[in-house]
Coordinates of all heavy atoms in Angstrom, one line a residue:
P1 N -72.5 -22.6 16.8 CA -73.8 -21.9 16.7 C -73.8 -20.5 17.1 O -73.1 -20.1 18.2 CB -74.9 -22.8 17.5 CG -74.0 -24.0 17.9 CD -72.7 -23.8 17.7
G2 N -74.6 -19.6 16.5 CA -74.7 -18.2 16.9 C -73.6 -17.4 16.2 O -73.7 -16.2 16.3
R3 N -72.6 -17.9 15.7 CA -71.6 -17.1 15.0 C -71.9 -17.1 13.5 O -72.3 -18.0 13.0 CB -70.2 -17.7 15.2 CG -69.8 -17.8 16.7 CD -68.4 -18.0 16.8 NE -67.7 -17.0 16.1 CZ -66.6 -16.4 16.3 NH1 -66.0 -16.9 17.4 NH2 -66.0 -15.7 15.5
L4 N -71.7 -15.9 13.0 CA -71.9 -15.8 11.5 C -70.7 -16.1 10.7 O -69.7 -15.5 10.8 CB -72.4 -14.3 11.4 CG -72.7 -13.9 9.9 CD1 -74.0 -14.6 9.5 CD2 -72.9 -12.4 9.7
P5 N -70.8 -16.9 9.7 CA -69.6 -17.2 8.8 C -69.5 -15.9 8.1 O -70.3 -15.1 7.9 CB -70.2 -18.3 7.9 CG -71.4 -18.9 8.7 CD -72.0 -17.8 9.5
S6 N -68.2 -15.8 7.7 CA -67.8 -14.6 7.0 C -68.5 -14.3 5.7 O -68.8 -13.1 5.5 CB -66.3 -14.5 6.8 OG -65.9 -15.6 5.9
G7 N -68.9 -15.3 5.0 CA -69.7 -15.0 3.8 C -71.0 -14.3 4.0 O -71.2 -13.3 3.3
P8 N -71.9 -14.8 4.8 CA -73.1 -14.0 4.9 C -72.9 -12.6 5.6 O -73.6 -11.6 5.2 CB -74.0 -15.0 5.8 CG -73.5 -16.3 5.6 CD -71.9 -16.1 5.4
G9 N -72.1 -12.5 6.5 CA -71.6 -11.2 7.1 C -71.2 -10.3 6.0 O -71.5 -9.2 5.9
A10 N -70.3 -10.8 5.2 CA -69.7 -10.0 4.0 C -70.9 -9.7 3.0 O -70.8 -8.6 2.4 CB -68.6 -10.8 3.4
S11 N -71.9 -10.5 2.9 CA -73.0 -10.3 1.9 C -73.8 -9.0 2.5 O -74.1 -8.3 1.8 CB -73.8 -11.5 1.9 OG -74.9 -11.2 1.2
A12 N -74.0 -9.0 3.8 CA -74.7 -7.8 4.3 C -74.0 -6.5 4.0 O -74.5 -5.6 3.6 CB -74.9 -7.9 5.8
L13 N -72.6 -6.5 4.2 CA -71.8 -5.3 4.1 C -71.8 -5.0 2.6 O -71.8 -3.9 2.1 CB -70.4 -5.6 4.6 CG -70.3 -5.5 6.2 CD1 -68.9 -5.9 6.5 CD2 -70.9 -4.2 6.7
A14 N -71.6 -6.1 1.7 CA -71.6 -5.8 0.3 C -72.9 -5.2 -0.2 O -72.8 -4.5 -1.2 CB -71.3 -7.2 -0.4
C15 N -74.0 -5.4 0.3 CA -75.2 -4.8 -0.1 C -75.2 -3.4 0.1 O -75.9 -2.6 -0.5 CB -76.4 -5.6 0.6 SG -78.0 -5.1 -0.1
L16 N -74.6 -3.0 1.3 CA -74.5 -1.5 1.6 C -73.7 -0.7 0.8 O -73.9 0.4 0.6 CB -74.2 -1.4 3.0 CG -75.2 -1.9 4.1 CD1 -74.6 -1.6 5.5 CD2 -76.5 -1.0 4.0
G17 N -72.6 -1.4 0.2 CA -71.6 -0.6 -0.6 C -72.2 0.1 -1.8 O -71.9 1.2 -1.9
P18 N -73.0 -0.5 -2.6 CA -73.6 0.2 -3.8 C -74.5 1.3 -3.4 O -74.5 2.3 -3.9 CB -74.3 -0.9 -4.6 CG -73.7 -2.1 -4.1 CD -73.3 -2.0 -2.6
C19 N -75.2 1.2 -2.2 CA -76.0 2.2 -1.7 C -75.1 3.5 -1.4 O -75.6 4.6 -1.7 CB -76.7 1.8 -0.4 SG -77.9 0.4 -0.7
K20 N -74.0 3.4 -0.9 CA -73.2 4.5 -0.5 C -72.6 5.2 -1.8 O -72.3 6.3 -1.7 CB -72.0 4.0 0.3 CG -72.5 3.6 1.7 CD -71.3 3.1 2.6 CE -71.8 2.7 3.9 NZ -70.6 2.3 4.9
G21 N -72.7 4.5 -2.9 CA -72.1 5.0 -4.1 C -73.2 5.6 -5.0 O -72.9 6.0 -6.2
C22 N -74.5 5.6 -4.6 CA -75.6 6.0 -5.5 C -75.4 7.5 -5.8 O -75.0 8.2 -5.0 CB -76.9 5.8 -4.8 SG -77.4 4.1 -4.8
T23 N -75.8 7.8 -7.0 CA -75.7 9.3 -7.5 C -77.0 9.9 -7.5 O -77.2 11.0 -7.9 CB -75.0 9.4 -8.9 OG1 -75.7 8.6 -9.8 CG2 -73.5 8.9 -8.8
A24 N -78.1 9.1 -7.3 CA -79.5 9.7 -7.3 C -80.1 9.1 -6.1 O -80.2 7.9 -5.8 CB -80.2 9.2 -8.5
S25 N -80.8 10.1 -5.3 CA -81.3 9.6 -4.0 C -82.5 8.6 -4.2 O -82.6 7.5 -3.4 CB -82.0 10.8 -3.3 OG -82.6 10.5 -2.1
A26 N -83.2 8.6 -5.3 CA -84.3 7.6 -5.6 C -83.7 6.3 -5.9 O -84.4 5.3 -5.6 CB -85.1 8.1 -7.0
A27 N -82.4 6.2 -6.3 CA -81.8 4.9 -6.6 C -81.5 4.2 -5.3 O -81.4 2.9 -5.3 CB -80.5 5.1 -7.3
L28 N -81.7 4.8 -4.1 CA -81.4 4.1 -2.9 C -82.6 3.2 -2.6 O -82.4 2.3 -1.7 CB -81.2 5.2 -1.7 CG -80.0 6.0 -1.8 CD1 -80.0 7.0 -0.7 CD2 -78.8 5.1 -1.7
D29 N -83.8 3.5 -3.1 CA -84.9 2.7 -2.9 C -84.9 1.3 -3.6 O -85.5 0.4 -3.3 CB -86.2 3.3 -3.3 CG -86.4 4.6 -2.4 OD1 -85.9 4.6 -1.2 OD2 -86.9 5.5 -2.9
T30 N -84.0 1.2 -4.6 CA -83.9 0.0 -5.4 C -83.5 -1.2 -4.7 O -84.2 -2.3 -4.9 CB -82.9 0.2 -6.6 OG1 -83.4 1.3 -7.4 CG2 -82.9 -1.0 -7.5
P31 N -82.6 -1.2 -3.8 CA -82.3 -2.5 -3.0 C -83.2 -2.9 -2.0 O -83.0 -3.9 -1.3 CB -80.9 -2.1 -2.4 CG -80.9 -0.6 -2.2 CD -81.7 -0.2 -3.3
A32 N -84.4 -2.4 -1.9 CA -85.3 -2.6 -0.8 C -86.0 -3.9 -1.2 O -87.3 -3.8 -1.5 CB -86.3 -1.4 -0.5
V33 N -85.4 -5.0 -1.1 CA -86.0 -6.2 -1.6 C -85.5 -7.4 -0.6 O -84.6 -7.1 0.2 CB -85.5 -6.6 -3.1 CG1 -86.1 -5.6 -4.0 CG2 -84.1 -6.7 -3.1
T34 N -86.2 -8.5 -0.7 CA -85.8 -9.6 0.1 C -85.0 -10.5 -0.9 O -85.6 -10.9 -2.0 CB -87.0 -10.3 0.7 OG1 -87.6 -9.4 1.5 CG2 -86.6 -11.6 1.4
A35 N -83.9 -11.0 -0.5 CA -83.2 -12.0 -1.2 C -83.5 -13.3 -0.6 O -83.3 -13.5 0.5 CB -81.7 -11.8 -1.2
G36 N -84.2 -14.2 -1.4 CA -84.7 -15.4 -0.8 C -83.7 -16.3 -0.2 O -83.9 -17.2 0.6
S37 N -82.5 -16.2 -0.8 CA -81.3 -17.1 -0.4 C -79.9 -16.3 -0.6 O -80.1 -15.4 -1.5 CB -81.4 -18.4 -1.0 OG -81.2 -18.3 -2.4
L38 N -78.9 -16.9 0.0 CA -77.7 -16.3 -0.3 C -76.9 -17.5 -1.0 O -76.7 -18.7 -0.5 CB -76.9 -16.0 0.9 CG -77.5 -14.8 1.6 CD1 -76.8 -14.6 3.0 CD2 -77.4 -13.5 0.9
T39 N -76.3 -17.2 -2.2 CA -75.6 -18.2 -3.0 C -74.5 -18.9 -2.0 O -73.7 -18.1 -1.5 CB -75.0 -17.6 -4.3 OG1 -76.0 -17.1 -4.9 CG2 -74.2 -18.7 -5.1
G40 N -74.5 -20.2 -2.0 CA -73.5 -20.8 -1.2 C -73.7 -21.0 0.3 O -72.9 -21.6 1.0
F41 N -75.0 -20.5 0.8 CA -75.3 -20.5 2.2 C -76.7 -20.9 2.3 O -77.6 -20.1 2.4 CB -74.9 -19.2 2.8 CG -73.5 -18.8 2.9 CD1 -73.1 -18.0 1.8 CD2 -72.7 -19.2 3.9 CE1 -71.7 -17.6 1.8 CE2 -71.3 -19.0 3.8 CZ -70.8 -18.1 2.8
A42 N -76.9 -22.2 2.3 CA -78.2 -22.7 2.3 C -79.0 -22.4 3.7 O -78.3 -22.4 4.7 CB -78.3 -24.3 2.2
G43 N -80.2 -21.9 3.4 CA -80.9 -21.6 4.6 C -80.9 -20.2 5.1 O -81.6 -19.7 6.0
Y44 N -79.9 -19.3 4.6 CA -79.7 -18.0 4.9 C -80.7 -17.1 4.1 O -80.9 -17.4 2.9 CB -78.3 -17.5 4.7 CG -77.3 -18.1 5.7 CD1 -76.8 -19.3 5.7 CD2 -77.0 -17.2 6.8 CE1 -75.9 -19.7 6.6 CE2 -76.1 -17.6 7.8 CZ -75.6 -19.0 7.7 OH -74.8 -19.4 8.6
K45 N -81.1 -16.1 4.7 CA -82.1 -15.0 4.0 C -81.5 -13.7 4.3 O -81.0 -13.3 5.4 CB -83.4 -15.2 4.5 CG -84.4 -14.3 4.0 CD -85.9 -14.5 4.3 CE -86.2 -13.9 5.7 NZ -87.6 -13.8 6.0
R46 N -81.5 -12.8 3.2 CA -81.1 -11.4 3.3 C -82.2 -10.6 3.1 O -82.9 -10.7 2.0 CB -79.9 -11.1 2.5 CG -79.3 -9.7 2.6 CD -78.2 -9.3 1.7 NE -78.8 -9.4 0.3 CZ -78.1 -9.9 -0.7 NH1 -77.0 -10.4 -0.6 NH2 -78.6 -9.8 -2.0
V47 N -82.5 -9.5 4.0 CA -83.6 -8.6 3.8 C -83.0 -7.2 3.8 O -82.2 -7.0 4.7 CB -84.7 -8.8 4.8 CG1 -85.8 -7.6 4.7 CG2 -85.3 -10.1 4.8
T48 N -83.2 -6.4 2.9 CA -82.8 -4.9 2.8 C -84.0 -4.1 3.0 O -85.0 -4.2 2.3 CB -82.2 -4.6 1.5 OG1 -81.0 -5.6 1.3 CG2 -81.5 -3.3 1.5
Q49 N -84.0 -3.2 4.0 CA -85.0 -2.2 4.2 C -84.4 -0.8 4.0 O -83.3 -0.5 4.5 CB -85.5 -2.4 5.7 CG -86.0 -3.8 6.0 CD -86.5 -3.9 7.4 OE1 -85.6 -3.7 8.3 NE2 -87.6 -4.2 7.6
V50 N -85.2 0.0 3.4 CA -84.9 1.5 3.4 C -86.1 2.3 3.9 O -87.2 2.1 3.6 CB -84.8 1.9 1.8 CG1 -84.5 3.3 1.6 CG2 -83.7 0.9 1.1
L51 N -85.7 3.1 4.9 CA -86.6 3.9 5.6 C -86.2 5.4 5.5 O -85.1 5.8 5.9 CB -86.7 3.6 7.0 CG -87.6 4.4 7.9 CD1 -89.0 4.2 7.5 CD2 -87.3 4.0 9.4
R52 N -87.1 6.2 4.9 CA -86.9 7.6 4.7 C -87.4 8.5 5.9 O -88.4 8.2 6.3 CB -87.5 8.2 3.4 CG -87.0 9.6 3.2 CD -87.6 10.1 1.9 NE -87.0 11.6 1.6 CZ -87.5 12.1 0.6 NH1 -88.5 11.7 -0.1 NH2 -87.0 13.4 0.5
T53 N -86.6 9.4 6.3 CA -87.0 10.3 7.4 C -87.0 11.6 6.7 O -86.0 12.1 6.2 CB -86.0 10.2 8.7 OG1 -86.1 9.0 9.2 CG2 -86.4 11.3 9.6
L54 N -88.2 12.3 6.7 CA -88.3 13.6 6.1 C -89.3 14.4 7.1 O -90.3 14.1 7.3 CB -88.9 13.4 4.8 CG -89.3 14.7 4.0 CD1 -88.0 15.5 3.8 CD2 -90.0 14.4 2.7
D55 N -88.7 15.5 7.6 CA -89.4 16.5 8.4 C -88.9 17.9 8.0 O -88.2 18.1 7.1 CB -89.4 16.1 9.8 CG -88.1 16.3 10.5 OD1 -87.2 16.9 9.9 OD2 -87.8 15.5 11.5
G56 N -89.2 18.8 8.8 CA -89.0 20.2 8.6 C -87.3 20.4 8.6 O -86.9 21.4 8.0
T57 N -86.5 19.6 9.2 CA -85.2 19.9 9.3 C -84.3 18.7 8.8 O -83.1 19.0 8.7 CB -84.8 20.3 10.9 OG1 -85.2 19.1 11.6 CG2 -85.5 21.5 11.4
E58 N -84.9 17.7 8.7 CA -84.1 16.5 8.3 C -84.6 15.8 7.1 O -85.8 15.6 6.8 CB -84.0 15.5 9.5 CG -83.4 16.0 10.7 CD -83.4 14.9 11.8 OE1 -84.3 14.1 11.9 OE2 -82.6 15.1 12.8
D59 N -83.8 15.1 6.2 CA -84.0 14.4 5.2 C -83.0 13.4 4.9 O -81.8 13.8 4.5 CB -84.3 15.2 3.9 CG -84.8 14.5 2.7 OD1 -85.1 13.3 2.8 OD2 -84.9 15.1 1.6
Y60 N -83.2 12.1 5.3 CA -82.2 11.2 5.1 C -82.9 9.7 4.9 O -84.1 9.6 5.2 CB -81.2 11.1 6.3 CG -81.8 10.8 7.6 CD1 -81.9 9.5 8.0 CD2 -82.3 11.8 8.4 CE1 -82.4 9.1 9.2 CE2 -82.7 11.5 9.7 CZ -82.9 10.2 10.1 OH -83.4 9.9 11.3
K61 N -82.1 8.7 4.5 CA -82.6 7.5 4.4 C -81.6 6.5 5.2 O -80.5 6.6 5.1 CB -82.5 6.9 2.9 CG -83.6 7.7 2.1 CD -83.7 7.1 0.7 CE -84.8 8.0 -0.1 NZ -84.9 7.5 -1.4
A62 N -82.2 5.6 6.0 CA -81.6 4.6 6.8 C -81.8 3.4 6.0 O -82.9 2.9 5.8 CB -82.2 4.5 8.2
I63 N -80.7 2.6 5.8 CA -80.7 1.4 5.0 C -80.1 0.4 5.9 O -79.0 0.5 6.5 CB -79.8 1.5 3.8 CG1 -80.4 2.7 2.8 CG2 -79.8 0.2 3.0 CD1 -79.4 3.1 1.8
T64 N -80.9 -0.8 6.1 CA -80.5 -1.8 7.0 C -80.6 -3.1 6.3 O -81.5 -3.4 5.7 CB -81.4 -1.9 8.3 OG1 -81.3 -0.6 8.9 CG2 -80.9 -2.9 9.2
V65 N -79.5 -3.8 6.3 CA -79.6 -5.2 5.7 C -79.4 -6.2 6.9 O -78.6 -6.1 7.8 CB -78.2 -5.4 4.9 CG1 -78.2 -6.8 4.2 CG2 -78.2 -4.3 3.8
T66 N -80.4 -7.2 6.8 CA -80.5 -8.2 8.0 C -80.3 -9.5 7.3 O -80.8 -10.0 6.3 CB -81.8 -8.2 8.5 OG1 -82.1 -6.9 9.1 CG2 -82.0 -9.2 9.7
V67 N -79.3 -10.3 7.8 CA -79.0 -11.7 7.4 C -79.4 -12.7 8.5 O -79.1 -12.4 9.7 CB -77.5 -11.9 7.1 CG1 -77.2 -13.3 6.7 CG2 -77.1 -11.0 6.0
S68 N -80.3 -13.5 8.2 CA -80.8 -14.5 9.2 C -80.7 -16.0 8.8 O -80.6 -16.2 7.5 CB -82.2 -14.2 9.5 OG -83.1 -14.3 8.4
N69 N -80.6 -16.9 9.7 CA -80.6 -18.3 9.5 C -81.1 -19.0 10.8 O -80.8 -18.4 11.8 CB -79.2 -18.7 9.2 CG -79.1 -20.2 9.1 OD1 -79.1 -21.0 9.9 ND2 -79.0 -20.7 7.7
P70 N -81.9 -20.0 10.7 CA -82.3 -20.6 12.0 C -81.1 -21.1 12.9 O -81.3 -21.1 14.1 CB -83.0 -21.9 11.5 CG -83.6 -21.6 10.2 CD -82.4 -20.7 9.6
G71 N -79.8 -21.3 12.3 CA -78.8 -21.7 13.1 C -78.1 -20.5 13.9 O -77.3 -20.6 14.7
L72 N -78.6 -19.2 13.6 CA -77.9 -18.1 14.2 C -78.9 -17.6 15.5 O -79.9 -17.7 15.4 CB -78.0 -16.8 13.3 CG -77.1 -16.9 12.0 CD1 -77.4 -15.6 11.2 CD2 -75.7 -16.9 12.4
S73 N -78.1 -17.4 16.6 CA -78.9 -17.1 17.8 C -79.7 -15.7 17.6 O -80.8 -15.6 18.2 CB -78.0 -17.0 18.9 OG -76.9 -16.0 18.7
T74 N -79.1 -14.7 16.9 CA -79.8 -13.6 16.5 C -79.5 -13.1 15.1 O -78.2 -13.5 14.6 CB -79.5 -12.4 17.4 OG1 -78.1 -12.2 17.4 CG2 -79.9 -12.6 18.9
P75 N -80.3 -12.6 14.3 CA -80.0 -12.1 12.9 C -78.8 -11.1 13.0 O -78.6 -10.3 14.0 CB -81.3 -11.6 12.5 CG -82.3 -12.1 13.3 CD -81.8 -12.3 14.6
V76 N -78.1 -11.0 12.0 CA -77.0 -10.0 11.9 C -77.5 -8.8 11.1 O -78.2 -8.9 10.0 CB -75.8 -10.6 11.1 CG1 -74.8 -9.5 10.9 CG2 -75.2 -11.7 12.1
K77 N -77.3 -7.6 11.7 CA -77.9 -6.3 11.0 C -76.6 -5.4 10.7 O -75.8 -5.1 11.7 CB -78.9 -5.6 11.8 CG -80.2 -6.4 12.0 CD -81.2 -5.7 12.7 CE -82.5 -6.5 12.8 NZ -83.6 -5.7 13.3
K78 N -76.7 -4.8 9.6 CA -75.7 -3.8 9.2 C -76.5 -2.6 8.6 O -77.4 -2.8 7.7 CB -74.6 -4.3 8.2 CG -73.9 -5.5 8.6 CD -73.0 -5.2 9.7 CE -72.1 -6.5 10.0 NZ -71.3 -6.3 11.1
S79 N -76.1 -1.4 9.1 CA -76.9 -0.3 8.7 C -75.9 0.9 8.3 O -74.8 1.0 8.8 CB -77.7 0.2 9.8 OG -78.8 -0.7 10.2
T80 N -76.6 1.9 7.5 CA -75.8 3.1 7.1 C -76.9 4.0 6.9 O -78.1 3.8 6.8 CB -75.0 2.9 5.8 OG1 -74.3 4.1 5.7 CG2 -75.9 2.8 4.6
I81 N -76.6 5.3 7.1 CA -77.5 6.5 6.9 C -76.9 7.4 5.9 O -75.7 7.7 5.9 CB -77.8 7.3 8.2 CG1 -78.4 6.3 9.2 CG2 -78.5 8.5 8.1 CD1 -79.0 6.9 10.4
I82 N -77.7 7.7 5.0 CA -77.3 8.7 3.8 C -78.3 9.9 3.7 O -79.5 9.7 3.7 CB -77.3 7.8 2.5 CG1 -76.5 6.5 2.6 CG2 -77.0 8.7 1.3 CD1 -76.4 5.7 1.4
A83 N -77.7 11.0 3.8 CA -78.3 12.3 3.7 C -78.9 12.4 2.2 O -78.3 12.0 1.3 CB -77.4 13.4 4.1
A84 N -80.0 13.2 2.1 CA -80.5 13.5 0.9 C -79.5 14.3 0.1 O -78.7 15.1 0.6 CB -81.8 14.4 1.1
F85 N -79.5 14.1 -1.2 CA -78.7 14.9 -2.1 C -79.4 15.2 -3.3 O -80.4 14.7 -3.7 CB -77.3 14.2 -2.3 CG -77.5 12.8 -2.8 CD1 -77.6 12.4 -4.1 CD2 -77.7 11.7 -1.9 CE1 -77.7 11.1 -4.6 CE2 -77.7 10.4 -2.3 CZ -77.8 10.1 -3.5

């Protein structure tokens, strides 16, 4: 208990991969959805959040993927930050 099987952990990382390869900043908002389940992992849920920071000197998006399951002691989070382009 409390350990994340490689599949769901890999799922969180796999969700970040396409974000890093986006060629349009607006496309980064597309993965901001909740996946109700992960194929092959009953009871797991994946949530992707996109948060934009925009002020006088900074413009970037923080993308966080969270994988949770009642059997995990804490949800697993993987994040990346992508500057505006």
Side-chain angles (χ1 to χ4, degrees):
R3 295 199 51 150
L4 182 68
S6 61
S11 174
L13 289 174
C15 189
L16 290 176
C19 294
K20 292 179 180 181
C22 283
T23 58
S25 184
L28 293 173
D29 297 330
T30 302
V33 297
T34 298
S37 62
L38 295 175
T39 303
F41 296 93
Y44 283 85
K45 181 173 80 169
R46 183 181 67 219
V47 177
T48 304
Q49 297 175 303
V50 179
L51 176 65
R52 183 176 187 190
T53 296
L54 175 62
D55 62 27
T57 59
E58 299 178 333
D59 186 4
Y60 63 88
K61 292 183 180 181
I63 302 164
T64 302
V65 179
T66 304
V67 176
S68 61
N69 178 286
L72 295 173
S73 56
T74 58
V76 173
K77 293 184 178 187
K78 303 290 181 182
S79 298
T80 192
I81 297 199
I82 301 176
F85 50 94

